[in-house]
């Protein structure tokens, strides 16, 4: 596969996104089980054959060598090299990140251990945040004797309406101290204007915990430039790492706001490693990360991956906007969408029934999502093995079912 350098022009990135021969080549690096057309890559990504092969080899090796390798080499050296590799990929300091098992663990750990919330203050969540983040924020508020402010975003969302929703919440509730913010919501794929929102939050003295679960690997961003104090991520969605890996990010200078996890004393007070749950990680999975990062870079990084996913999304959305009986919920402002987009059948009450019909009658797997203020929807998420013709198949199915 020809790789392209990370520093390419927007035009080159755009060309690559449309280059079916290139993506056919990429697709050949994966084994895909025959069956339904998978438009539910929002759950987790597939490993390439090479990553899978390495993972299997690492598993066999760690099983053979056991503590002789893990105690003498992995714990003392290799795990730090892997953390440094990840930090380099993100453009942050290794001391600002700690590996975890998933985004949920990362985000809940940050929320659980946030120590700057005082009784009488408030936390803020929105209808588009992830369920386990919402429940953790409610839990934190209860535990600290704080209040909870829950906002519902306007529909259809615009760049300005998203900023306005938060602006109004901050003005109406000057006691807000901490907010959850989801970079890419799992409900509709809407991309939040994170940088502007963190600036706004900071001007109101509000700390942000960023949920980056769907952003890493499909949105081209500089973590440090987002200016968030705290963030949680996973590596199995758009990075294509084995399942069971994630990490927390705590910006330099903000570690004191997060307590050691459950009173951990294994690490120094200024070491982020003590801020995440202790335990034996999935070592063979961690050992694959250098290969995962090398493949990510070789394909052109998040810029190229994200452009491809957004291109596939545009292929079906452009057609679907013109189909009577289909409402696409995610806006077309390029700042506000990525590869994931949701829609609903307006003439059918039950979207779950329609998702089942998509599968039964057209062989297409997609999931329903509930909880957004804009109502129940069906989420479409292409992946790196999805072809332009798969999107045409989806459009034909939507026409038939609408
Ligand atoms: C927005 C968002 N946040 C958090 C998570 C949780 O990620 P994980 O499965 O790594 O815990 C997901 C998973 O789909 C998600 O979509």
């Amino acid at each position: 596969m020809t790789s392209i350098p990370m520093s390419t022009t927007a035009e080159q990135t755009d060309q690559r996104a449309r280059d079916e021969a290139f993506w056919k080549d990429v697709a050949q690096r994966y084994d895909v089980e025959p069956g339904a057309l998978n438009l539910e890559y929002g759950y987790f990504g597939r490993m390439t054959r090479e990553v899978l092969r390495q993972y299997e080899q690492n598993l066999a090796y760690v099983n053979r060598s056991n503590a002789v390798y893990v105690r003498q080499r992995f714990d003392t050296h290799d795990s730090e090299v892997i953390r440094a590799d990840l930090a380099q990929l993100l453009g942050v300091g290794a001391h600002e990140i700690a590996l975890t098992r998933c985004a949920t663990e990362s985000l809940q750990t940050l929320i659980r251990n946030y120590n700057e919330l005082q009784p009488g203050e408030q936390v803020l969540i929105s209808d588009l945040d992830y369920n386990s983040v919402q429940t953790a924020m409610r839990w934190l508020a209860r535990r600290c004797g704080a209040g909870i402010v829950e906002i519902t975003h306007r529909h259809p969302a615009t760049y300005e309406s998203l900023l306005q929703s938060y602006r109004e919440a901050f003005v109406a509730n000057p006691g807000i101290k901490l907010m959850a913010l989801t970079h890419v919501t799992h409900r509709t794929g809407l991309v939040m204007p994170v940088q502007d929102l963190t600036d706004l939050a900071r001007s109101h003295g509000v700390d942000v915990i960023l949920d980056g679960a769907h952003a890493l690997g499909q949105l081209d961003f500089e973590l440090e430039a987002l200016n968030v104090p705290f963030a949680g991520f996973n590596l199995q969605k758009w990075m294509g790492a084995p399942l069971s890996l994630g990490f927390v990010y705590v910006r330099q200078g903000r570690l004191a706001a997060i307590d050691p996890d459950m009173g951990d004393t294994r690490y120094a007070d200024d070491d982020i490693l003590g801020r995440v749950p202790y335990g034996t990680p999935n070592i063979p999975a961690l050992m694959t990360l250098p290969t995962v990062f090398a493949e990510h870079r070789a394909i052109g990084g998040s810029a190229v991956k994200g452009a491809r996913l957004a291109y596939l999304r545009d292929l079906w959305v452009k057609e679907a906007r013109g189909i009577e009986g289909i409402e696409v919920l995610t806006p077309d402002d390029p700042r506000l969408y990525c590869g994931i987009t949701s829609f609903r059948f307006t003439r059918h009450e039950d979207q779950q029934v329609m998702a089942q019909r998509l599968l039964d009658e057209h062989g297409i797997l997609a999931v329903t999502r509930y909880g957004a203020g804009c109502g129940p929807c069906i989420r479409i998420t292409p992946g790196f093995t999805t072809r332009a013709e798969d999107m045409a198949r989806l459009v034909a199915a939507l026409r038939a079912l609408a």
Side-chain angles (χ1 to χ4, degrees):
M1 191 179 77
T2 32
S3 63
I4 63 169
M6 296 290 271
S7 56
T8 45
T9 63
E11 200 187 329
Q12 281 171 314
T13 303
D14 201 46
Q15 271 172 11
R16 180 109 313 170
R18 294 155 190 271
D19 181 349
E20 291 304 320
F22 174 81
W23 292 99
K24 191 171 172 200
D25 195 7
V26 170
Q28 277 164 2
R29 309 176 114 225
Y30 297 86
D31 287 325
V32 180
E33 187 73 6
L37 171 59
N38 185 352
L39 292 180
E40 180 25 15
Y41 286 104
Y43 194 173
F44 60 97
R46 185 179 279 117
M47 290 178 267
T48 62
R49 204 175 296 116
E50 176 57 20
V51 171
L52 177 62
R53 191 186 64 77
Q54 284 218 5
Y55 186 26
E56 287 168 346
Q57 266 184 8
N58 296 338
L59 187 61
Y61 174 68
V62 170
N63 191 54
R64 278 199 312 275
S65 56
N66 195 268
V68 175
Y69 164 67
V70 175
R71 286 254 184 253
Q72 298 191 106
R73 182 85 196 161
F74 182 82
D75 288 352
T76 52
H77 177 267
D78 292 0
S79 59
E80 278 310 306
V81 172
I82 290 164
R83 182 159 72 129
D85 268 8
L86 175 59
Q88 197 192 19
L89 183 90
L90 301 165
V92 300
H95 61 286
E96 294 175 295
I97 57 172
L99 283 140
T100 62
R101 283 172 287 218
C102 58
T104 303
E105 181 176 87
S106 306
L107 292 159
Q108 291 193 336
T109 299
L110 290 169
I111 294 166
R112 177 169 69 237
N113 295 317
Y114 181 76
N115 61 23
E116 293 194 349
L117 185 64
Q118 302 299 325
E121 291 183 331
Q122 291 156 317
V123 301
L124 172 67
I125 56 176
S126 89
D127 61 320
L128 297 180
D129 295 323
Y130 196 65
N131 304 53
S132 53
V133 170
Q134 293 174 332
T135 51
M137 290 289 274
R138 291 188 194 110
W139 173 89
L140 177 72
R142 272 198 310 279
R143 196 187 67 154
C144 294
I148 177 107
V149 177
E150 304 200 18
I151 60 169
T152 300
H153 288 287
R154 294 165 175 84
H155 178 69
T158 64
Y159 199 90
E160 186 45 40
S161 81
L162 293 166
L163 285 169
Q164 187 59 16
S165 296
Y166 286 102
R167 201 178 289 125
E168 284 168 7
F170 296 150
V171 170
N173 306 281
I176 295 175
K177 173 69 190 170
L178 177 70
M179 66 180 270
L181 180 61
T182 310
H183 204 156
V184 176
T185 172
H186 74 296
R187 303 194 203 283
T188 64
L190 184 78
V191 177
M192 285 286 169
V194 171
Q195 219 161 336
D196 284 344
L197 283 172
T198 21
D199 287 348
L200 182 68
R202 200 159 357 97
S203 72
H204 287 271
V206 177
D207 270 337
V208 173
I209 294 184
L210 181 71
D211 176 348
H214 263 299
L216 192 73
Q218 84 157 315
L219 290 184
D220 193 24
F221 64 90
E222 300 273 331
L223 181 49
E224 204 167 322
L226 294 181
N227 242 329
V228 289
F230 317 108
F233 298 88
N234 57 32
L235 290 160
Q236 82 270 10
K237 288 194 192 290
W238 302 106
M239 293 303 298
L243 292 171
S244 78
L245 303 177
F247 64 96
V248 298
Y249 164 76
V250 178
R251 195 177 175 82
Q252 165 114 17
R254 292 307 311 275
L255 200 56
I258 307 294
D259 279 334
D261 192 50
M262 309 296 289
D264 190 285
T265 52
R266 284 182 173 87
Y267 298 96
D269 216 38
D270 61 353
D271 190 340
I272 192 173
L273 294 184
R275 298 326 202 259
V276 295
Y278 185 80
T280 309
N282 186 341
I283 295 163
L286 285 168
M287 288 163 70
T288 65
L289 285 181
T291 304
V292 169
F293 300 154
E295 289 192 346
H296 175 75
R297 289 192 174 99
I299 215 171
S302 305
V304 167
K305 286 160 111 175
R308 170 65 176 176
L309 296 170
Y311 167 68
L312 291 168
R313 176 266 185 202
D314 286 343
L315 286 180
W316 77 266
V317 169
K318 277 193 186 118
E319 297 295 322
R321 291 252 185 238
I323 303 175
E324 290 262 339
I326 297 286
E327 183 193 2
V328 177
L329 302 173
T330 320
D332 285 335
D333 179 337
R335 296 169 298 177
L336 300 182
Y337 74 84
C338 56
I340 309 167
T341 280
S342 294
F343 74 96
R344 87 160 60 86
F345 290 96
T346 55
R347 297 174 182 146
H348 299 267
E349 193 57 36
D350 191 335
Q351 301 305 309
Q352 182 54 45
V353 168
M354 297 311 288
Q356 193 61 47
R357 286 187 63 192
L358 256 183
L359 184 61
D360 294 343
E361 296 171 29
H362 298 272
I364 296 174
L365 177 75
V367 285
T368 44
R369 282 287 165 263
Y370 298 89
C374 59
C377 54
I378 299 177
R379 180 178 83 175
I380 300 294
T381 317
F384 303 121
T385 52
T386 309
R387 302 159 306 171
E389 63 207 70
D390 296 330
M391 300 286 78
R393 185 170 149 198
L394 170 68
V395 171
L398 297 187
R399 275 192 219 288
L401 292 173

